[in-house]
Amino acid sequence: MRDHLPPGLPPDPFADDPSDPSAALDSVEPAQPLDADERIAVEEDLADLAVYEALLARRGVRGLVVICDDCQQDHYHDWDMLRANLLQLLVEGTVRPHEPAVDPCADSYVTWDYCRGYADAMMHTADED
C-alpha cells in the first residue's frame, strides 16, 4: 500500500482504494478567488467577528448560529471555527466541509443580527457616557 501522508502519521485507510469515498471530491471544480468586493465583505466580517467575540464571549456566548441554506437547520459555530472559515475563504475562495457541533447548547449561540444589535447598543451606551 502506498501512503501519501508524511512519515509519523497514521496510514490512510483508503490509499489507492478505487472505492475511496473521497474520490467524488476530485471532480469538484477548484474555487475561484474572491473578487475585490467579496474580499472586502469577508474582511469586514472578520473585523465584526472580533468585536462580537470581545463583547459576548465574556458573557458566555460561544459563537454564532446560522440557518443552513442547504438543509434549513441551525448550524452552531464557535468563534474560532468562524474565524478559521473566514480566513480560509480569503485564502482559498471556499470553505471546506467540517463536522457540526455535537449536541450544542443552543442558548450559548446567537445570530449575526443579535451580535450587530448588541454591538450597536454598546456603542450607543458608550456614546452617552
Side-chain angles (χ1 to χ4, degrees):
M1 175 165 109
R2 197 171 119 227
D3 195 357
H4 305 288
L5 296 175
L9 293 176
D12 179 355
F14 293 104
D16 300 322
D17 181 348
S19 61
D20 179 351
S22 70
L25 297 175
D26 292 339
S27 64
V28 175
E29 292 185 32
Q32 298 298 314
L34 301 178
D35 66 31
D37 291 336
E38 291 169 329
R39 283 192 74 73
I40 290 170
V42 172
E43 290 168 350
E44 289 172 352
D45 283 348
L46 275 166
D48 289 344
L49 184 65
V51 170
Y52 302 157
E53 181 179 11
L55 290 172
L56 294 166
R58 60 190 163 117
R59 300 184 62 85
V61 176
R62 295 194 55 188
L64 298 180
V65 58
V66 294
I67 297 175
C68 177
D69 291 335
D70 294 331
C71 69
Q72 298 302 311
Q73 293 184 7
D74 290 340
H75 288 227
Y76 299 89
H77 303 283
D78 289 342
W79 302 116
D80 290 338
M81 180 190 286
L82 285 163
R83 188 173 13 272
N85 286 350
L86 290 170
L87 289 170
Q88 184 179 28
L89 189 56
L90 278 177
V91 172
E92 298 180 14
T94 189
V95 177
R96 290 185 203 122
H98 54 273
E99 292 294 320
V102 177
D103 197 24
C105 175
D107 292 341
S108 297
Y109 296 84
V110 296
T111 64
W112 278 101
D113 288 340
Y114 179 91
C115 290
R116 282 186 197 104
Y118 189 87
D120 286 346
M122 294 301 288
M123 290 294 289
H124 182 70
T125 301
D127 287 345
E128 289 179 353
D129 293 341

